[in-house]
């Protein structure tokens, strides 16, 4: 019915259930097949419904997600793949920060919401042989922030917990 070279099979999941259908690939990608920044700001998806064959624009404002699927039958018995559900949350985030003067430092911060809501955060430098053992980083001086991975708590961050 729909050419797989021209259409994606999609399931649009929302509060009112799922809509299964076909979306033209051209509305999602450029000629070379790459997603564009406009794809990330779209307000609707145009699709041809599997159940009725009607073509419509589905608004995305209340949609949970658009799933691109191999087929519409799915796997009812399939369980989500979860690698670390049985492990406790890792205590620290390994991060790279770039200051407004261009300097870049890697270090560890507590894996809490504090670094998101506060005006700054404490970071233990990754270079344990250097002179610095702890750094307060004011967020307004940052030009970049990347999470590189998860790590166990360092001695310097643990010392802060003991004095809290």
């Amino acid at each position: 019915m729909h050419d797989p070279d021209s259409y994606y099979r999609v399931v649009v999941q929302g509060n009112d259930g799922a809509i299964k259908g076909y979306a033209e690939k051209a509305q999602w990608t450029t000629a070379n097949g790459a997603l564009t920044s406009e794809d990330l700001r779209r307000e609707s998806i145009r699709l041809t419904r599997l159940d009725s064959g009607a073509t419509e624009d589905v608004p995305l404002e209340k949609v949970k997600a658009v799933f691109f699927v191999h087929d519409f039958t799915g796997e009812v018995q399939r369980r989500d793949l979860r690698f670390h559900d049985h492990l406790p949350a890792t205590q620290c985030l390994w991060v790279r920060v770039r200051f407004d003067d261009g300097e870049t430092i890697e270090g560890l911060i507590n894996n809490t919401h504090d670094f998101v809501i506060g005006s700054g955060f404490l970071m233990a430098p990754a270079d344990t042989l250097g002179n610095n053992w702890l750094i307060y980083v004011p967020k307004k001086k940052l030009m970049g922030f990347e999470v590189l991975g998860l790590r166990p708590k360092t001695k310097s961050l643990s010392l802060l917990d003991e004095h809290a």
Side-chain angles (χ1 to χ4, degrees):
M1 175 183 184
H2 286 89
D3 176 17
D5 291 332
S6 301
Y7 289 87
Y8 291 119
R9 288 181 187 96
V10 297
V11 178
V12 179
Q13 186 70 45
N15 294 338
D16 300 333
I19 301 172
K20 297 177 182 179
Y22 298 91
E24 288 187 44
K25 288 183 178 182
Q27 75 177 306
W28 285 92
T29 57
T30 61
N32 67 359
L35 286 171
T36 66
S37 58
E38 287 77 31
D39 291 323
L40 304 176
R41 292 189 298 268
R42 68 175 48 251
E43 295 179 8
S44 66
I45 179 173
R46 186 164 187 77
L47 61 83
T48 303
R49 293 179 71 114
L50 181 65
D51 56 2
S52 67
T55 300
E56 64 183 272
D57 288 324
V58 177
L60 296 178
E61 64 187 25
K62 295 182 180 176
V63 164
K64 172 184 166 185
V66 176
F67 297 93
F68 295 81
V69 298
H70 294 291
D71 61 61
F72 292 117
T73 55
E75 297 180 49
V76 178
Q77 299 299 321
R78 181 168 173 79
R79 293 185 52 201
D80 288 339
L81 184 59
R82 295 187 175 120
F83 292 107
H84 305 291
D85 284 354
H86 64 287
L87 299 175
T90 304
Q91 299 166 315
C92 289
L93 300 175
W94 172 27
V95 299
R96 178 181 298 136
V97 296
R98 186 169 44 88
F99 294 95
D100 59 4
D101 66 358
E103 182 180 8
T104 300
I105 299 175
E106 289 184 13
L108 300 177
I109 63 173
N110 283 323
N111 189 6
T112 65
H113 69 286
D114 296 337
F115 77 94
V116 175
I117 61 172
S119 59
F121 53 88
L122 291 169
M123 180 173 74
D127 179 7
T128 58
L129 301 177
N131 187 43
N132 302 319
W133 67 273
L134 195 63
I135 303 168
Y136 175 75
V137 180
K139 291 192 319 193
K140 66 182 175 183
K141 296 306 240 171
L142 292 180
M143 294 299 294
F145 180 92
E146 291 177 79
V147 175
L148 304 174
L150 301 170
R151 296 282 172 92
K153 189 165 276 204
T154 65
K155 184 177 180 181
S156 56
L157 290 175
S158 296
L159 289 173
L160 290 175
D161 293 341
E162 292 172 12
H163 297 294

